[in-house]
mmCIF file of all heavy atoms in Angstrom:
data_model
loop_
_atom_site.group_PDB
_atom_site.id
_atom_site.type_symbol
_atom_site.label_atom_id
_atom_site.label_comp_id
_atom_site.label_asym_id
_atom_site.label_seq_id
_atom_site.Cartn_x
_atom_site.Cartn_y
_atom_site.Cartn_z
ATOM 1 N N ALA A 493 -69.910 -160.034 37.095
ATOM 2 C CA ALA A 493 -70.227 -159.414 35.814
ATOM 3 C C ALA A 493 -70.730 -160.425 34.794
ATOM 4 O O ALA A 493 -71.500 -160.070 33.889
ATOM 5 C CB ALA A 493 -68.997 -158.685 35.267
ATOM 6 N N GLN A 494 -70.296 -161.674 34.918
ATOM 7 C CA GLN A 494 -70.752 -162.721 34.013
ATOM 8 C C GLN A 494 -72.124 -163.277 34.395
ATOM 9 O O GLN A 494 -72.661 -164.146 33.719
ATOM 10 C CB GLN A 494 -69.745 -163.879 33.999
ATOM 11 C CG GLN A 494 -68.353 -163.511 33.498
ATOM 12 C CD GLN A 494 -68.380 -162.998 32.081
ATOM 13 O OE1 GLN A 494 -68.859 -163.670 31.170
ATOM 14 N NE2 GLN A 494 -67.866 -161.796 31.879
ATOM 15 N N GLY A 495 -72.678 -162.783 35.498
ATOM 16 C CA GLY A 495 -73.958 -163.301 35.973
ATOM 17 C C GLY A 495 -73.846 -164.695 36.555
ATOM 18 O O GLY A 495 -74.842 -165.422 36.625
ATOM 19 N N ALA A 496 -72.637 -165.056 36.995
ATOM 20 C CA ALA A 496 -72.392 -166.407 37.480
ATOM 21 C C ALA A 496 -72.154 -166.472 38.984
ATOM 22 O O ALA A 496 -71.777 -167.517 39.504
ATOM 23 C CB ALA A 496 -71.176 -166.996 36.755
ATOM 24 N N TRP A 497 -72.362 -165.366 39.687
ATOM 25 C CA TRP A 497 -72.069 -165.327 41.116
ATOM 26 C C TRP A 497 -72.861 -166.397 41.856
ATOM 27 O O TRP A 497 -74.078 -166.471 41.746
ATOM 28 C CB TRP A 497 -72.394 -163.946 41.659
ATOM 29 C CG TRP A 497 -71.978 -163.711 43.084
ATOM 30 C CD1 TRP A 497 -72.795 -163.518 44.149
ATOM 31 C CD2 TRP A 497 -70.636 -163.615 43.578
ATOM 32 N NE1 TRP A 497 -72.046 -163.313 45.280
ATOM 33 C CE2 TRP A 497 -70.714 -163.373 44.959
ATOM 34 C CE3 TRP A 497 -69.377 -163.728 42.973
ATOM 35 C CZ2 TRP A 497 -69.584 -163.233 45.763
ATOM 36 C CZ3 TRP A 497 -68.242 -163.586 43.764
ATOM 37 C CH2 TRP A 497 -68.357 -163.345 45.144
ATOM 38 N N HIS A 498 -72.163 -167.248 42.564
ATOM 39 C CA HIS A 498 -72.709 -168.359 43.342
ATOM 40 C C HIS A 498 -73.275 -169.478 42.473
ATOM 41 O O HIS A 498 -73.908 -170.394 42.992
ATOM 42 C CB HIS A 498 -73.787 -167.887 44.323
ATOM 43 C CG HIS A 498 -73.211 -167.164 45.502
ATOM 44 N ND1 HIS A 498 -74.005 -166.569 46.476
ATOM 45 C CD2 HIS A 498 -71.922 -166.915 45.882
ATOM 46 C CE1 HIS A 498 -73.227 -166.001 47.393
ATOM 47 N NE2 HIS A 498 -71.963 -166.210 47.045
ATOM 48 N N ALA A 499 -73.049 -169.417 41.182
ATOM 49 C CA ALA A 499 -73.552 -170.461 40.292
ATOM 50 C C ALA A 499 -72.484 -171.524 40.066
ATOM 51 O O ALA A 499 -71.295 -171.216 39.962
ATOM 52 C CB ALA A 499 -73.974 -169.860 38.951
ATOM 53 N N LEU A 500 -72.922 -172.768 39.989
ATOM 54 C CA LEU A 500 -72.018 -173.855 39.643
ATOM 55 C C LEU A 500 -71.784 -173.859 38.137
ATOM 56 O O LEU A 500 -72.642 -173.418 37.361
ATOM 57 C CB LEU A 500 -72.622 -175.191 40.078
ATOM 58 C CG LEU A 500 -72.610 -175.469 41.583
ATOM 59 C CD1 LEU A 500 -73.552 -176.622 41.911
ATOM 60 C CD2 LEU A 500 -71.200 -175.768 42.070
ATOM 61 N N PRO A 501 -70.630 -174.367 37.692
ATOM 62 C CA PRO A 501 -70.393 -174.446 36.242
ATOM 63 C C PRO A 501 -71.322 -175.454 35.587
ATOM 64 O O PRO A 501 -71.919 -176.311 36.253
ATOM 65 C CB PRO A 501 -68.926 -174.895 36.156
ATOM 66 C CG PRO A 501 -68.646 -175.559 37.450
ATOM 67 C CD PRO A 501 -69.491 -174.867 38.478
ATOM 68 N N ALA A 502 -71.455 -175.346 34.284
ATOM 69 C CA ALA A 502 -72.336 -176.250 33.535
ATOM 70 C C ALA A 502 -71.965 -177.701 33.820
ATOM 71 O O ALA A 502 -70.783 -178.063 33.839
ATOM 72 C CB ALA A 502 -72.232 -175.963 32.043
ATOM 73 N N GLY A 503 -72.975 -178.509 34.043
ATOM 74 C CA GLY A 503 -72.746 -179.931 34.295
ATOM 75 C C GLY A 503 -72.611 -180.290 35.753
ATOM 76 O O GLY A 503 -72.531 -181.475 36.090
ATOM 77 N N PHE A 504 -72.586 -179.294 36.641
ATOM 78 C CA PHE A 504 -72.448 -179.549 38.085
ATOM 79 C C PHE A 504 -73.771 -179.285 38.783
ATOM 80 O O PHE A 504 -74.447 -178.292 38.517
ATOM 81 C CB PHE A 504 -71.370 -178.648 38.690
ATOM 82 C CG PHE A 504 -69.963 -179.132 38.483
ATOM 83 C CD1 PHE A 504 -69.370 -179.040 37.231
ATOM 84 C CD2 PHE A 504 -69.234 -179.668 39.525
ATOM 85 C CE1 PHE A 504 -68.076 -179.470 37.021
ATOM 86 C CE2 PHE A 504 -67.938 -180.113 39.332
ATOM 87 C CZ PHE A 504 -67.352 -180.012 38.082
ATOM 88 N N VAL A 505 -74.118 -180.183 39.683
ATOM 89 C CA VAL A 505 -75.279 -179.985 40.549
ATOM 90 C C VAL A 505 -74.899 -180.437 41.951
ATOM 91 O O VAL A 505 -74.036 -181.308 42.121
ATOM 92 C CB VAL A 505 -76.511 -180.786 40.073
ATOM 93 C CG1 VAL A 505 -77.015 -180.272 38.737
ATOM 94 C CG2 VAL A 505 -76.196 -182.276 40.002
ATOM 95 N N GLU A 506 -75.514 -179.831 42.944
ATOM 96 C CA GLU A 506 -75.278 -180.273 44.314
ATOM 97 C C GLU A 506 -76.044 -181.567 44.568
ATOM 98 O O GLU A 506 -77.187 -181.721 44.135
ATOM 99 C CB GLU A 506 -75.732 -179.205 45.313
ATOM 100 C CG GLU A 506 -74.790 -178.033 45.413
ATOM 101 C CD GLU A 506 -75.037 -177.199 46.657
ATOM 102 O OE1 GLU A 506 -76.204 -177.151 47.103
ATOM 103 O OE2 GLU A 506 -74.077 -176.614 47.170
ATOM 104 N N THR A 507 -75.395 -182.482 45.256
ATOM 105 C CA THR A 507 -76.034 -183.746 45.597
ATOM 106 C C THR A 507 -76.104 -183.881 47.110
ATOM 107 O O THR A 507 -75.426 -183.166 47.846
ATOM 108 C CB THR A 507 -75.254 -184.936 45.016
ATOM 109 O OG1 THR A 507 -73.920 -184.932 45.553
ATOM 110 C CG2 THR A 507 -75.208 -184.878 43.508
ATOM 111 N N GLY A 508 -76.907 -184.822 47.576
ATOM 112 C CA GLY A 508 -77.069 -185.006 49.007
ATOM 113 C C GLY A 508 -78.144 -184.083 49.538
ATOM 114 O O GLY A 508 -78.651 -183.192 48.841
ATOM 115 N N GLU A 509 -78.508 -184.309 50.776
ATOM 116 C CA GLU A 509 -79.582 -183.520 51.384
ATOM 117 C C GLU A 509 -79.230 -183.234 52.835
ATOM 118 O O GLU A 509 -78.823 -184.121 53.576
ATOM 119 C CB GLU A 509 -80.904 -184.281 51.306
ATOM 120 C CG GLU A 509 -82.088 -183.503 51.839
ATOM 121 C CD GLU A 509 -83.395 -184.260 51.666
ATOM 122 O OE1 GLU A 509 -83.380 -185.310 51.003
ATOM 123 O OE2 GLU A 509 -84.412 -183.807 52.211
ATOM 124 N N GLU A 510 -79.356 -181.979 53.214
ATOM 125 C CA GLU A 510 -79.145 -181.573 54.601
ATOM 126 C C GLU A 510 -80.490 -181.419 55.295
ATOM 127 O O GLU A 510 -81.487 -181.046 54.669
ATOM 128 C CB GLU A 510 -78.397 -180.243 54.666
ATOM 129 C CG GLU A 510 -76.951 -180.307 54.255
ATOM 130 C CD GLU A 510 -76.250 -178.980 54.479
ATOM 131 O OE1 GLU A 510 -76.858 -177.936 54.186
ATOM 132 O OE2 GLU A 510 -75.100 -178.992 54.948
ATOM 133 N N THR A 511 -80.499 -181.712 56.565
ATOM 134 C CA THR A 511 -81.708 -181.508 57.364
ATOM 135 C C THR A 511 -81.342 -180.751 58.627
ATOM 136 O O THR A 511 -80.238 -180.901 59.166
ATOM 137 C CB THR A 511 -82.371 -182.844 57.741
ATOM 138 O OG1 THR A 511 -81.442 -183.636 58.500
ATOM 139 C CG2 THR A 511 -82.799 -183.613 56.495
ATOM 140 N N ALA A 512 -82.255 -179.931 59.088
ATOM 141 C CA ALA A 512 -82.076 -179.189 60.328
ATOM 142 C C ALA A 512 -83.438 -178.706 60.788
ATOM 143 O O ALA A 512 -84.313 -178.388 59.976
ATOM 144 C CB ALA A 512 -81.129 -178.003 60.137
ATOM 145 N N ALA A 513 -83.617 -178.668 62.102
ATOM 146 C CA ALA A 513 -84.888 -178.200 62.645
ATOM 147 C C ALA A 513 -85.075 -176.714 62.390
ATOM 148 O O ALA A 513 -86.202 -176.238 62.228
ATOM 149 C CB ALA A 513 -84.950 -178.499 64.142
ATOM 150 N N ASP A 514 -83.980 -176.004 62.318
ATOM 151 C CA ASP A 514 -84.029 -174.556 62.116
ATOM 152 C C ASP A 514 -83.675 -174.241 60.659
ATOM 153 O O ASP A 514 -82.551 -174.459 60.234
ATOM 154 C CB ASP A 514 -83.035 -173.874 63.059
ATOM 155 C CG ASP A 514 -83.114 -172.351 62.989
ATOM 156 O OD1 ASP A 514 -83.769 -171.818 62.068
ATOM 157 O OD2 ASP A 514 -82.507 -171.696 63.858
ATOM 158 N N PRO A 515 -84.619 -173.737 59.862
ATOM 159 C CA PRO A 515 -84.332 -173.428 58.453
ATOM 160 C C PRO A 515 -83.179 -172.450 58.270
ATOM 161 O O PRO A 515 -82.494 -172.480 57.245
ATOM 162 C CB PRO A 515 -85.654 -172.827 57.951
ATOM 163 C CG PRO A 515 -86.700 -173.351 58.874
ATOM 164 C CD PRO A 515 -86.025 -173.469 60.210
ATOM 165 N N SER A 516 -82.958 -171.596 59.247
ATOM 166 C CA SER A 516 -81.877 -170.631 59.105
ATOM 167 C C SER A 516 -80.517 -171.327 59.075
ATOM 168 O O SER A 516 -79.574 -170.822 58.456
ATOM 169 C CB SER A 516 -81.910 -169.607 60.237
ATOM 170 O OG SER A 516 -81.594 -170.196 61.486
ATOM 171 N N LEU A 517 -80.398 -172.475 59.720
ATOM 172 C CA LEU A 517 -79.144 -173.226 59.686
ATOM 173 C C LEU A 517 -78.875 -173.772 58.286
ATOM 174 O O LEU A 517 -77.736 -173.799 57.828
ATOM 175 C CB LEU A 517 -79.179 -174.363 60.704
ATOM 176 C CG LEU A 517 -79.270 -173.950 62.170
ATOM 177 C CD1 LEU A 517 -79.363 -175.189 63.063
ATOM 178 C CD2 LEU A 517 -78.068 -173.105 62.557
ATOM 179 N N LEU A 518 -79.936 -174.218 57.611
ATOM 180 C CA LEU A 518 -79.776 -174.704 56.243
ATOM 181 C C LEU A 518 -79.363 -173.556 55.313
ATOM 182 O O LEU A 518 -78.505 -173.733 54.436
ATOM 183 C CB LEU A 518 -81.080 -175.325 55.754
ATOM 184 C CG LEU A 518 -81.535 -176.600 56.471
ATOM 185 C CD1 LEU A 518 -82.884 -177.057 55.934
ATOM 186 C CD2 LEU A 518 -80.500 -177.703 56.304
ATOM 187 N N ALA A 519 -79.975 -172.386 55.516
ATOM 188 C CA ALA A 519 -79.619 -171.236 54.689
ATOM 189 C C ALA A 519 -78.176 -170.825 54.934
ATOM 190 O O ALA A 519 -77.441 -170.492 53.991
ATOM 191 C CB ALA A 519 -80.561 -170.067 54.985
ATOM 192 N N ALA A 520 -77.738 -170.857 56.183
ATOM 193 C CA ALA A 520 -76.361 -170.487 56.509
ATOM 194 C C ALA A 520 -75.374 -171.481 55.915
ATOM 195 O O ALA A 520 -74.311 -171.103 55.420
ATOM 196 C CB ALA A 520 -76.182 -170.406 58.016
ATOM 197 N N SER A 521 -75.716 -172.761 55.940
ATOM 198 C CA SER A 521 -74.841 -173.790 55.374
ATOM 199 C C SER A 521 -74.710 -173.616 53.867
ATOM 200 O O SER A 521 -73.616 -173.734 53.303
ATOM 201 C CB SER A 521 -75.387 -175.176 55.699
ATOM 202 O OG SER A 521 -74.591 -176.192 55.127
ATOM 203 N N LYS A 522 -75.828 -173.319 53.204
ATOM 204 C CA LYS A 522 -75.804 -173.099 51.759
ATOM 205 C C LYS A 522 -74.961 -171.871 51.422
ATOM 206 O O LYS A 522 -74.148 -171.902 50.485
ATOM 207 C CB LYS A 522 -77.220 -172.911 51.240
ATOM 208 C CG LYS A 522 -77.322 -172.679 49.730
ATOM 209 C CD LYS A 522 -78.789 -172.622 49.305
ATOM 210 C CE LYS A 522 -78.929 -172.512 47.790
ATOM 211 N NZ LYS A 522 -78.417 -171.225 47.273
ATOM 212 N N ALA A 523 -75.123 -170.802 52.190
ATOM 213 C CA ALA A 523 -74.342 -169.578 51.944
ATOM 214 C C ALA A 523 -72.852 -169.844 52.132
ATOM 215 O O ALA A 523 -72.024 -169.323 51.374
ATOM 216 C CB ALA A 523 -74.810 -168.470 52.879
#
């Protein structure tokens, strides 16, 4: 209801980088 679903709080960002040959694996990891 706050429009914050799956959003990080202010001041937070994801760091690092994932790699995979299959893009669907990256999407699944993010989910």
Side-chain angles (χ1 to χ4, degrees):
Q494 298 300 303
W497 187 247
H498 286 176
L500 287 165
F504 279 73
V505 294
E506 284 196 330
T507 60
E509 183 176 352
E510 289 186 319
T511 60
D514 185 348
S516 68
L517 296 177
L518 294 177
S521 178
K522 180 175 185 293

